[in-house]
Amino acid sequence: FLAAFVVRQFTIVWVVYAFEEDHLLGRLSPYLLQPLPLIWRYVAAHLAEQATRVPFVAAMAALVILLQPGVFALPTAGQLLLTLVALHLGFWINFLLQHAITMLCFWSERASALERLLFLPYLYLSGLLAPLVLYPPAVQTLALHSPFAAMLWLPARLLSGGPIDLVQGFGNAVAWLLLLVYGLTLLFSLRTHRTLYEVAEVELESAAEPTAAGGAVTGLAAAATKADPAAADPVAEVQAEQDHADDVEDGDRGLGETGQKHLIHVVAEL
């Protein structure tokens, strides 16, 4: 159980929750346009978290060994090397399996619900709840050929020094890893290309709307200019108003002079 606890700390994966959050908040489209494949962003986050877990896991394991010296035997160099290899295989299988579930985020907003359902077979078939050697033979065979055994049982068994079939264990892990890499690469490339195409269509439609609105405004301005040429030039409009005012003033002045001449003519007759 101590070996299972240690292995669990370095094979735990939460990529489906991070991917789902990025998808719902609209951060996924800019990530897809970057030259670095999206998967490495989440891999780096998981590896950084694993590095921060090392001192805490080491302190807790040391405390258990000090309190119960005979409960855990230190592994040999060969066991430790095989454990590290199996640990990385288990992490990548768990990561790719959960990353395959994240592809459902393109069709559903709650793909993490399926991951919770996947936790049930993981709980029983990985050896987390109980060692697989305690299961009936049929259940053991099913568990050992599932990807869940490679996530926890294989590295935990190597770390604890228990007997295990290395060929069957590593062969099962490598087979599941290759299958997940091929399937995930195919599914991810197909869906992300479709998503980028949809994003490009939306951006083109958004860019076309202001252009159409600007054309309508230009058409209205041209119609107004055709109906009233002076309206197209503010200077010409002001000049026209000034000319009209001068004409009115000249008219008033001319009317005054005519009235004066008529008055002189009447007085002369009288």
Side-chain angles (χ1 to χ4, degrees):
F1 284 103
L2 180 60
F5 166 78
V6 173
V7 171
R8 171 71 175 164
Q9 302 307 309
F10 299 102
T11 57
I12 190 171
V13 175
W14 38 265
V15 62
V16 63
Y17 301 99
F19 191 94
E20 184 180 77
E21 181 182 359
D22 291 339
H23 178 65
L24 294 177
L25 296 180
R27 295 194 296 256
L28 194 59
S29 297
Y31 292 163
L32 293 175
L33 296 175
Q34 296 178 357
L36 183 68
L38 181 63
I39 188 173
W40 295 111
R41 176 182 294 273
Y42 300 108
V43 169
H46 282 72
L47 295 179
E49 184 186 14
Q50 289 179 8
T52 60
R53 289 173 179 264
V54 171
F56 298 100
V57 174
M60 295 179 67
L63 180 62
V64 172
I65 294 174
L66 289 176
L67 295 178
Q68 299 290 334
V71 74
F72 190 80
L74 294 177
T76 62
Q79 289 179 347
L80 188 59
L81 180 61
L82 290 176
T83 300
L84 292 176
V85 174
L87 192 65
H88 282 285
L89 286 174
F91 165 74
W92 279 108
I93 292 174
N94 194 10
F95 183 88
L96 293 176
L97 182 62
Q98 197 172 115
H99 197 52
I101 298 176
T102 62
M103 296 297 100
L104 297 177
C105 291
F106 291 113
W107 294 276
S108 174
E109 295 182 354
R110 289 292 177 265
S112 57
L114 183 60
E115 194 276 334
R116 297 187 185 97
L117 294 177
L118 195 65
F119 181 73
L120 294 176
Y122 170 80
L123 185 65
Y124 290 96
L125 300 180
S126 66
L128 181 63
L129 187 64
L132 296 184
V133 293
L134 301 179
Y135 290 174
V139 180
Q140 285 188 38
T141 303
L142 176 63
L144 292 176
H145 288 84
S146 69
F148 307 108
M151 297 179 191
L152 184 70
W153 172 253
L154 177 63
R157 195 70 171 172
L158 289 171
L159 184 60
S160 62
I164 190 172
D165 188 351
L166 295 178
V167 177
Q168 190 275 333
F170 281 100
N172 178 65
V174 172
W176 276 106
L177 182 62
L178 295 177
L179 180 63
L180 288 172
V181 167
Y182 176 76
L184 182 60
T185 302
L186 180 63
L187 181 61
F188 186 75
S189 60
L190 291 176
R191 187 55 202 176
T192 50
H193 290 167
R194 179 60 184 174
T195 301
L196 292 176
Y197 177 76
E198 293 174 355
V199 171
E201 283 185 335
V202 172
E203 291 180 351
L204 289 177
E205 292 176 359
S206 301
E209 290 178 357
T211 304
V217 172
T218 305
L220 292 175
T225 303
K226 186 176 181 181
D228 187 6
D233 189 358
V235 177
E237 184 177 357
V238 173
Q239 185 65 35
E241 293 179 356
Q242 183 66 34
D243 294 342
H244 178 69
D246 293 341
D247 292 340
V248 172
E249 184 178 355
D250 293 341
D252 293 342
R253 186 181 299 110
L255 180 60
E257 293 176 355
T258 303
Q260 292 176 1
K261 291 178 180 180
H262 179 68
L263 180 59
I264 294 172
H265 179 69
V266 172
V267 172
E269 289 181 352
L270 292 176

